[in-house]
Amino acid sequence: HVQLVESGGGSVQAGGSLTLSCRASGYVYSSYCMGWYRQAPGKEREGVATIDSDGTPNYSESVRGRFTISKDTNKHTLSLQMNNLTPEDTGTYYCTADPSLLWCRFDDIIPSDFQNWGQGTQVTVS
């Protein structure tokens, strides 16, 4: 089991930047899929970015070129650098991880494939 705690959300104007962080604890002794999903009011949870066990990043088309996902294995931390934010990026951002997943491209996975989720952090872009 992996415990995840997000931080770094907030309010920003369109065109601005935010960095989200996710601290993992519990089973952190091997590499596995981690990622970020988001959910806007009245909408389904959607994938934003994931990172494979070998460090390969995967991005949704809506954030490719604007967001960067990274992982610090030593600090057990997952980050999401978000640039050029738009109001469409508004939502609750969730960190997720699953030790049973090694590869996590969005074509191959769905949210329920991940068994561990953080409590979420709010991002509001106006």
Side-chain angles (χ1 to χ4, degrees):
H1 187 65
V2 181
Q3 292 82 43
L4 303 166
V5 178
E6 303 98 334
S7 61
S11 297
V12 64
Q13 292 187 338
S17 299
L18 281 174
T19 300
L20 304 183
S21 294
C22 173
R23 173 79 175 179
S25 60
Y27 186 74
V28 294
Y29 301 106
S30 64
S31 294
Y32 45 76
C33 278
M34 299 185 73
W36 294 94
Y37 281 69
R38 67 187 180 191
Q39 189 166 17
K43 294 187 177 181
E44 293 187 353
R45 190 168 297 190
E46 65 170 351
V48 176
T50 62
I51 192 163
D52 292 341
S53 58
D54 66 353
T56 301
N58 309 287
Y59 298 98
S60 68
E61 287 301 319
S62 62
V63 307
R64 189 184 304 274
R66 300 188 298 123
F67 291 12
T68 302
I69 189 171
S70 61
K71 183 170 66 173
D72 186 327
T73 303
N74 291 331
K75 296 182 179 180
H76 309 310
T77 300
L78 183 73
S79 298
L80 185 68
Q81 174 67 44
M82 304 185 294
N83 297 326
N84 194 20
L85 286 160
T86 73
E88 288 69 35
D89 295 315
T90 294
T92 302
Y93 283 67
Y94 297 92
C95 176
T96 188
D98 198 295
S100 68
L101 291 177
L102 300 181
W103 317 111
C104 42
R105 295 183 303 170
F106 289 123
D107 288 345
D108 300 328
I109 60 170
I110 56 177
S112 61
D113 287 333
F114 288 94
Q115 299 302 310
N116 304 282
W117 294 85
Q119 81 288 353
T121 186
Q122 179 66 34
V123 172
T124 303
V125 185
S126 60

